Amino acid sequence: MIESLRERLSNYGQEHLLQFWDALSNEERSALVEDIQELNLEEVQSFFKRATHSLTDNNTKLDDRLEPIPESKYMSISRTSEEKLQMYRREGLRHVSESKVGVLLMAGGQGTRLGFSHPKGMYNVGLPSGKTLFQIQAERIRRLQQMAFEETGKRGIVSWYIMTSEHTMEPTMEYFRKNNYFGLHKSDIFMFEQGSLPCFTFDGKIIMDAKHRIARAPDGNGGLYRALRDRGVLDNILNRGVEYLHAHSVDNILIKVADPIFIGYCASQNADCAAKVVEKASPNEAVGVVCIVDGKYQVVEYSEITEKTAEMRNPDGRLTFSAGNICNHFFSASFLHKIGKEYEQKLKLHVAKKKIPFVNGAGERITPASPNGIKIEKFVFDVFEFAEKFVTVEVPRDVEFSALKNADSAGKDCPSTARKDIFKLHKAYVERAGGQIIGDEVEISPLLSYEGENLEAIVKGKVFKAPIHLKQDDEHTNGHHKL
């Protein structure tokens, strides 16, 4: 058995994985054999070759091959009439009421950069309610289901698919169990684990994390498509009759989960794939831009174009390449099936040079001071090029995008900016509904209002002193009754 394993490994130049075999206990040997057998060596070898080949391609700038998304495929929320938005919203709510809408939540990350050793979705940013990202998003789904019922008289279900990683699966499941699924039905929430790939040295050797363990890393948010296929999620989507899916990452506190306008617009355009974007704040803002390269839709990283192209403007003064990518996407179920069947193995592979702890020849585990190897990742947006009907929706940043990535010391994309952005938006909702607020700290429960609706009866003609927390009568978070 061990000889055939050794032979298989040496065919791929990876026989070093057994170098400590004689020093391992029986239990450790089993763990190592299991790690090795889980590897499709031919495939991971080809991944390494494809990924590192792309390293040499990446230096050429793409300027000459770039075009902006055409106007006909680009809807800006702020430049679209209220009447049209209402039409798309009704269409989206109709699909929700028919249980045709699902959400793909990418929640594999831990809150390490926030100094938080749990899944990021469990992070509490310090709102008056004390709600975490997971709770806020669950409650937005509940409110949306209620809005769809009020619009159509039919009670539909939003199917919630949550992609975790190896390290976040158990704690996420436990957290939802403990919180009684935040009022949703357990049977409508599906958690599945994204895959991982081995880490490599620069010359293609698989790195060992311990004498009996291979170093692995999650395969990036683009691992979504393989996980959907291999974990049976695509079958579940089919069986539940879900036709439209909203995919987003867990760390945007302003996310409009399964946004009915987005769903309604994309469905009415018969789109198979779409991206929500925000207008770039400045030419040199370091965000990827959704555009067309060689006739195919793509996200181009800021570093891939010259300053001159980044600064190009249209006659109306807006940046030509302004569609900032925010990891907020729409997919038709049929497109996801096509990806799983045909295109997943053609997805681009990206290389991240990292400091990867490794075991040296003497069996000691070393934490390197500089990058010593690569992690291979796939990106969720790399399926755009396979889309036949792609559309883009530009949303106002202050209404829909506030990322939570860093600790407060960074001063941006951190808990204090997330809180501030929620307070500002919710204060605007209250004022729009005819209320007045003294101060800034305003939180509105997602169960009461999804996007500012349903507030007039509570706030019109009244003056409130912050901090305030508006909620439904029967909510049991801090405080009581409405305020």
Side-chain angles (χ1 to χ4, degrees):
M1 143 86 183
I2 186 62
E3 283 319 310
S4 67
L5 197 57
R6 206 181 289 279
E7 191 180 335
R8 207 174 125 233
L9 287 169
S10 73
N11 288 341
Y12 294 96
Q14 304 292 352
E15 60 275 22
H16 66 285
L17 297 180
L18 294 175
Q19 62 186 315
F20 302 110
W21 185 259
D22 297 337
L24 300 182
S25 68
N26 284 340
E27 213 175 298
E28 288 172 332
R29 285 178 176 182
S30 304
L32 180 58
V33 168
E34 198 181 319
D35 262 14
I36 293 170
Q37 284 179 335
E38 275 179 10
L39 293 177
N40 175 338
L41 284 165
E42 188 176 357
E43 183 179 58
V44 298
Q45 196 88 325
S46 76
F47 280 176
F48 176 80
K49 284 197 175 116
R50 272 174 55 205
T52 48
H53 176 70
S54 73
L55 276 180
T56 52
D57 298 347
N58 281 352
N59 304 328
T60 54
K61 299 285 184 188
L62 295 172
D63 300 52
D64 302 341
R65 297 154 54 199
L66 222 57
E67 297 167 67
I69 303 290
E71 285 294 316
S72 60
K73 305 272 184 200
Y74 196 98
M75 177 176 86
S76 162
I77 295 287
S78 59
R79 296 193 293 278
T80 301
S81 72
E82 190 50 45
E83 194 184 358
K84 241 187 181 160
L85 294 178
Q86 282 295 0
M87 182 182 81
Y88 295 135
R89 185 182 284 111
R90 281 196 298 273
E91 171 92 341
L93 291 173
R94 184 171 64 78
H95 293 308
V96 170
S97 75
E98 291 169 354
S99 302
K100 288 182 178 172
V101 176
V103 171
L104 293 171
L105 172 63
M106 292 169 270
Q110 285 171 297
T112 322
R113 277 159 67 185
L114 295 160
F116 181 68
S117 59
H118 306 284
K120 204 191 257 191
M122 286 165 61
Y123 191 77
N124 164 4
V125 302
L127 295 172
S129 64
K131 289 175 184 176
T132 61
L133 294 168
F134 278 142
Q135 181 168 358
I136 291 166
Q137 289 167 28
E139 291 181 352
R140 285 187 186 142
I141 289 175
R142 283 174 61 189
R143 174 69 192 142
L144 185 65
Q145 291 175 166
Q146 181 59 24
M147 284 161 67
F149 173 64
E150 287 163 9
E151 173 70 34
T152 65
K154 278 170 76 175
R155 275 207 189 278
I157 295 298
V158 173
S159 302
W160 200 10
Y161 300 96
I162 300 175
M163 183 170 79
T164 66
S165 61
E166 183 188 354
H167 300 295
T168 61
M169 183 69 155
E170 271 309 309
T172 302
M173 286 174 86
E174 181 55 25
Y175 180 66
F176 272 75
R177 263 198 303 270
K178 252 180 26 201
N179 287 281
N180 204 14
Y181 301 91
F182 303 106
L184 292 165
H185 290 289
K186 180 185 175 183
S187 57
D188 299 323
I189 299 174
F190 310 87
M191 294 189 192
F192 62 103
E193 209 177 291
Q194 79 182 100
S196 61
L197 288 169
C199 304
F200 293 91
T201 60
F202 295 122
D203 56 0
K205 300 286 184 207
I206 292 171
I207 293 175
M208 298 201 73
D209 187 54
K211 290 180 189 177
H212 64 293
R213 296 252 70 147
I214 286 171
R216 311 174 72 98
D219 53 2
N221 57 17
L224 173 70
Y225 307 107
R226 174 173 284 219
L228 287 175
R229 182 190 67 204
D230 294 353
R231 310 281 185 191
V233 183
L234 288 179
D235 298 334
N236 185 289
I237 286 170
L238 193 64
N239 296 338
R240 286 176 71 92
V242 173
E243 292 180 18
Y244 309 111
L245 293 112
H246 178 210
H248 66 89
S249 54
V250 76
D251 60 5
N252 174 9
I253 198 165
L254 298 183
I255 190 77
K256 283 188 175 178
V257 185
D259 173 14
I261 292 179
F262 192 34
I263 301 287
Y265 171 70
C266 293
S268 69
Q269 296 297 305
N270 209 4
D272 48 15
C273 178
K276 269 192 181 186
V277 296
V278 295
E279 193 166 356
K280 275 179 71 169
S282 65
N284 59 359
E285 186 185 4
V287 294
V289 170
V290 180
C291 56
I292 296 175
V293 180
D294 298 335
K296 289 184 163 56
Y297 298 98
Q298 195 177 313
V299 172
V300 168
E301 294 303 337
Y302 173 63
S303 57
E304 294 178 296
I305 54 175
T306 60
E307 208 173 313
K308 189 175 166 206
T309 297
E311 287 175 353
M312 278 170 63
R313 293 188 184 268
N314 299 339
D316 63 4
R318 292 203 321 274
L319 289 172
T320 304
F321 295 100
S322 67
N325 179 48
I326 54 172
C327 194
N328 192 329
H329 309 305
F330 164 93
F331 302 110
S332 70
S334 56
F335 181 65
L336 287 176
H337 282 280
K338 210 184 278 184
I339 294 296
K341 262 208 210 73
E342 294 172 45
Y343 299 124
E344 199 283 328
Q345 58 269 46
K346 298 178 185 166
L347 272 188
K348 283 195 188 99
L349 298 170
H350 302 266
V351 170
K353 296 179 180 179
K354 297 281 186 182
K355 300 176 208 171
I356 304 164
F358 67 99
V359 172
N360 67 12
E364 302 156 330
R365 193 168 190 269
I366 309 286
T367 304
S370 57
N372 63 317
I374 65 168
K375 292 180 178 179
I376 297 174
E377 293 181 315
K378 304 170 195 175
F379 293 161
V380 69
F381 52 71
D382 280 332
V383 295
F384 291 1
E385 63 171 295
F386 306 118
E388 283 165 35
K389 293 202 167 168
F390 183 87
V391 294
T392 310
V393 176
E394 182 191 286
V395 298
R397 191 186 290 239
D398 56 350
V399 177
E400 294 207 35
F401 184 59
S402 179
L404 182 65
K405 298 199 182 295
N406 311 312
D408 269 343
S409 55
K412 64 175 236 187
D413 295 343
C414 60
S416 55
T417 54
R419 273 197 310 277
K420 203 172 76 199
D421 290 341
I422 278 256
F423 291 155
K424 193 174 161 200
L425 178 63
H426 288 190
K427 182 176 180 175
Y429 284 161
V430 171
E431 289 171 343
R432 196 173 74 195
Q436 198 185 332
I437 291 186
I438 298 161
D440 295 313
E441 278 190 37
V442 186
E443 181 185 2
I444 301 168
S445 165
L447 294 172
L448 177 64
S449 183
Y450 179 89
E451 53 179 351
E453 79 295 335
N454 204 26
L455 297 176
E456 275 198 16
I458 303 167
V459 305
K460 194 165 187 182
K462 295 183 184 165
V463 179
F464 301 93
K465 197 165 191 286
I468 66 163
H469 176 207
L470 295 175
K471 57 192 176 194
Q472 281 194 317
D473 292 349
D474 54 357
E475 270 192 73
H476 303 300
T477 48
N478 307 352
H480 56 277
H481 190 75
K482 298 280 197 299
L483 296 184

